[in-house]
Amino acid sequence: MWALHLAAPLAVLWLLLANPEDLNHRFRWEHPPSHFWLIVAVAGVNVALGAMISQAATRRQDARLLLVSLVFLSSAGFFLLHGLATPTVILDKGSYGFDIGQPVGLTVAAVLAFVSSLPLGPRAAAAILARGDLLRAGLVVVLVVWGWASLVEGLTPLSAPPPPGGGTIGVFSWIGAGLYAVAAAMMFRIHRRRPSAMLVSLMTAYALLGESMIVGFFRPNWLLSWWEWHFLLSLAFVFVAYSAYIQFRREGSSQGLFDSVTLNATVRRIQAQYDEALEELVGHIRQMGESGSRIPVSLRLAGKFRLNEGQAAVLEQAGQALAVERELSTRLGALVDVGRQARVGLGEAALLAGALERVKQAYGDVRIGLVSNGQVAIGARRFAVDDFKDIEAITGGGVVVHPLTVKGVLAGALEVPVGTTRQDEALAATLASQLSIALENARLYRELETLFRQYMSPDVAASLLADPDQAALGGSLVELTALFADLKGFTSFSERVAPGEIVEMLNRYHTAAVPCILRHGGTIVQFVGDALLALFNAPATQERHATHAARAALEMQVAAEAIAAGNPGYPRFRIGINTGLALVGNIGSPELRGFNAMGDAVNVAARLEGQAEPGTVVIGATTREQIGPAARVRSLGDLSLKGKEQSVEAFVLTALE
C-alpha cells in the first residue's frame, strides 16, 4: 500500500503529460497571492520541523539528526525564496530564480538526505558534529546570497526573466531524485532493524521530495502538473509534521520524537541513559523506604530527562514496580539457594551459616537461634518453647519471628525484618518453612552418617539414599573384581587368647584394612569373623577396577604387616582377587535383606584367597590380564580349586608399577 500511494503521483503526472491537449494544458491557474501564502505556510511548517530536529541533534549529539535538520532547513529556505520570487510580490514579473530556486534547494537537500542515511562511523559522525555550526552558518550564507541575487532586479541573471518554456536545472533534477530514492531505501533498512512511525514518515518524505523533483522537471509554470509538485512538496513536509504531532500527543513530550532516526551509537547511548535512570530511580526508592521519606524522586529524573508530570508519575510507578519485582526475585532466589544447600553430607553448622549469609543478601538483617535448654536466644531476646504454641509468628520491634520446627517440634526461630510489600509476610513464612526442612534434613543426614553408613559401604548407602528402589530384592549381572581377605591362623589364635583380645585384634586389622579399600573405590559388602568381602565396579561403576582392587590389596598387606610386627603371635592377612561376571543385588527377604554378589567369579576369589600364603596377594588370570604390564607377578601355575572342574591359572602379585 505504501508503494502504491507513492506511485500515484507519478501516474497522475504521466496522465497529464501523455496528451498535449489534455487537462494539464486546459487547466491554467495563475494566482500569485495564493501561491505566495501557500509557500509561506509550508515553509513555516518546514522551518519549525528543522528547528525541532536541530534541537534534538544538539541534545543527543547525533550527526544524523543534524543532517536531517539541514535537509528540512535548506528545502524550507529555498522554498521560501521561491515564494518571495513569486511575480507581483517583490518582482513584477517571473524570474529565472523563481523557476529554479526550489529545484536547487531540493538538490542541496538531496545531498544532505543521502549523507544522513549512510551508516556513519564514529569518526565521520564526530567530524560532522564538530562542523555543525559551520554547516548551519554556511546554509544561511548560501540562502542570503541566493535571495540577494534572485530578488534584486537587474543584479544577476537569476532576477532576469526566464527563458521561453521556463528554467530548469536539467539532469540535476534526476540526480536529486535518485539521491532521495537511495536515502529512502537506506531509511527503510534502518526501519527494518528498529521499526518506528517517524522513520516511515521520513522515508515517505524523501520519496515525495524525489517525486516532486521529477514532476517539477516538466513545465511550463502555472499548469496543473506545475501545481502538482507544489502539492507533493507540501505533502512531504506536512506528513512528517503530522507524524510528529501524533507521537507528541501519544507520549506527551517532544523529548524523544526523533530518537528512532539517530545513529546506532546514539540509540545505545540513549538506552544506557534510560537504564541508568531506572537504576537511579530504584535506588532512590529503596532509600525512601529505608528513611521513610515520601519525596517523589522521579521529579529529579524528570528534570534530568525533561519529562512532564504525567511521564514522571508513570516513571515513579514503574520504578516502584521494578524495585518490588527485583526484591521479590532476589528473595525467591534466596529461597531456591537455601533449598539447594540442604543436600546430603552438609553439616548443620555449615548449612545454617551458608543459608544465613545468602538470606541476609535478600532479606536484610536476618537472625537464627536454635533451641538450647528449652529456650531460643536471638541476640538479647529470649523465647520460651511455649511462646510459639499455636501461633505462626511473633511480631514486634520492627521484626517478625517465625518458629523453626523439626518433626513438628520447635527446634529454633527465625527473625526477619518487617517487609514493606504484601508479599513479604508470605515470603518470610516460606523462608522459615524452607529452613525448617533444611535443618531437619541436616539432622537426619547426621543420624544416617552415624548409624546407617557405619553398617554398610558409603557407596551402597549413598545409592540407597538417592534411589530407595535399589533396596528392592533382585539384582543384575555385571563385571566386577572381588577381593576376599581373611587372617591365616585365626582359629588357633582364638583358642589361645581371651575373647576381648580377639575383638581388639580384629578391630585393629579391619581399621587398617577398610580405609585401603574405600580409598580405591571398593565396596565392603560383608564381614564374616576374620574375613571380609569387597567388590570393585559394584554398585558404583568404576574404570580399571582390577587395578584399583590390586592396589588396595597391596596397601592392606603393608598396613597389616605394621600391626603384626608390633604384635608377635597375631595372625596375618591373605588375600585373593578375581575378575569376572557376577550377580549383584539385594538378597534376602522382605523383612531382612543385604547387598551381596554371587557367581563363579566371587567363588574363585574366595578359593584363591585360601591358596594364598600369609602376607601375600593371589590374583586370577583375568585380573592379571586387565591390569596389564603394570603387574609384577609370580606364577603359581594351574591350580585345582574346590568346586571347579577345570584348573585355574593363578599368580602371586608382588608389586604394581
Side-chain angles (χ1 to χ4, degrees), residues 457-459 516-524 534-538 542:
S457 163
D459 287 338
C516 299
I517 296 172
L518 299 181
R519 186 162 50 245
H520 291 280
T523 298
I524 301 173
L535 305 179
F536 293 79
N537 202 41
Q542 186 180 28

Side-chain angles (χ1 to χ4, degrees), residues 503-519 524 527 532 555-556 559-560 563 573:
V503 174
E504 180 184 356
M505 181 270 296
L506 288 175
N507 288 339
R508 293 184 65 180
Y509 272 128
H510 289 326
T511 299
V514 168
C516 299
I517 296 172
L518 299 181
R519 186 162 50 245
I524 301 173
F527 291 98
L532 65 84
E555 289 183 13
M556 284 174 60
I563 295 174
F573 266 128

Side-chain angles (χ1 to χ4, degrees), residues 229-573:
W229 74 261
H230 286 77
F231 171 76
L232 291 176
L233 201 64
S234 303
L235 183 63
F237 301 144
V238 172
F239 186 71
V240 176
Y242 179 74
S243 298
Y245 171 73
I246 293 298
Q247 187 169 339
F248 174 81
R249 286 286 302 273
R250 183 173 61 248
E251 298 182 1
S253 172
S254 61
Q255 178 72 13
L257 288 182
F258 306 101
D259 285 352
S260 60
V261 185
T262 58
L263 296 169
N264 292 332
T266 306
V267 171
R268 290 192 295 268
R269 189 171 67 249
I270 294 172
Q271 185 62 49
Q273 290 175 349
Y274 281 121
D275 291 343
E276 180 184 355
L278 282 178
E279 291 291 342
E280 185 176 348
L281 178 62
V282 171
H284 282 297
I285 289 176
R286 288 177 176 171
Q287 293 177 6
M288 285 171 54
E290 296 174 358
S291 63
S293 173
R294 289 295 178 264
I295 300 176
V297 296
S298 61
L299 293 181
R300 173 182 170 184
L301 297 178
K304 181 177 181 180
F305 289 91
R306 298 183 182 178
L307 306 179
N308 58 33
E309 292 184 3
Q311 291 174 323
V314 172
L315 185 60
E316 182 82 16
Q317 295 175 1
Q320 291 176 347
L322 182 59
V324 171
E325 184 70 22
R326 287 192 174 183
E327 187 173 356
L328 179 61
S329 299
T330 303
R331 294 188 174 185
L332 289 175
L335 288 176
V336 173
D337 289 343
V338 169
R340 189 181 294 116
Q341 289 180 14
R343 60 183 183 271
V344 177
L346 194 61
E348 179 179 320
L351 170 69
L352 292 179
L356 191 60
E357 180 181 359
R358 178 64 181 88
V359 167
K360 281 186 175 182
Q361 299 173 7
Y363 290 81
D365 188 16
V366 177
R367 299 182 182 183
I368 297 177
L370 299 180
V371 172
S372 178
N373 297 324
Q375 286 189 333
V376 179
I378 302 180
R381 306 178 68 182
R382 296 289 187 272
F383 299 94
V385 174
D386 293 338
D387 292 341
F388 294 97
K389 188 176 182 180
D390 299 328
I391 64 173
E392 295 182 357
I394 299 175
T395 304
V399 297
V400 181
V401 182
H402 292 270
L404 302 179
T405 60
V406 173
K407 295 296 183 182
V409 179
L410 184 69
L414 170 71
E415 182 183 277
V416 183
V418 174
T420 57
T421 66
R422 56 186 177 85
Q423 296 96 343
D424 290 335
E425 183 177 349
L427 286 172
T430 304
L431 175 61
S433 176
Q434 189 81 316
L435 283 173
S436 294
I437 295 172
L439 182 62
E440 184 172 325
N441 287 344
R443 292 185 176 181
L444 287 176
Y445 292 146
R446 184 178 61 189
E447 293 178 10
L448 289 174
E449 188 74 28
T450 303
L451 301 174
F452 190 39
R453 289 176 180 270
Q454 291 182 357
Y455 283 89
M456 62 179 61
S457 163
D459 287 338
V460 177
S463 298
L464 292 177
L465 287 173
D467 184 8
D469 289 341
Q470 292 190 26
L473 294 175
S476 58
L477 197 64
V478 298
E479 183 188 69
L480 54 75
T481 298
L483 182 153
F484 262 100
D486 76 346
L487 294 171
K488 177 66 174 176
F490 174 74
T491 302
S492 60
F493 176 81
S494 300
E495 294 173 350
R496 297 194 310 269
V497 300
E501 190 173 349
I502 297 173
V503 174
E504 180 184 356
M505 181 270 296
L506 288 175
N507 288 339
R508 293 184 65 180
Y509 272 128
H510 289 326
T511 299
V514 168
C516 299
I517 296 172
L518 299 181
R519 186 162 50 245
H520 291 280
T523 298
I524 301 173
V525 295
Q526 60 178 256
F527 291 98
V528 181
D530 63 319
L532 65 84
L533 168 61
L535 305 179
F536 293 79
N537 202 41
T541 303
Q542 186 180 28
E543 295 183 359
R544 302 177 62 241
H545 48 87
T547 301
H548 287 293
R551 291 193 184 280
L554 293 175
E555 289 183 13
M556 284 174 60
Q557 290 294 24
V558 172
E561 285 296 326
I563 295 174
N567 297 273
Y570 268 21
R572 299 169 64 195
F573 266 128

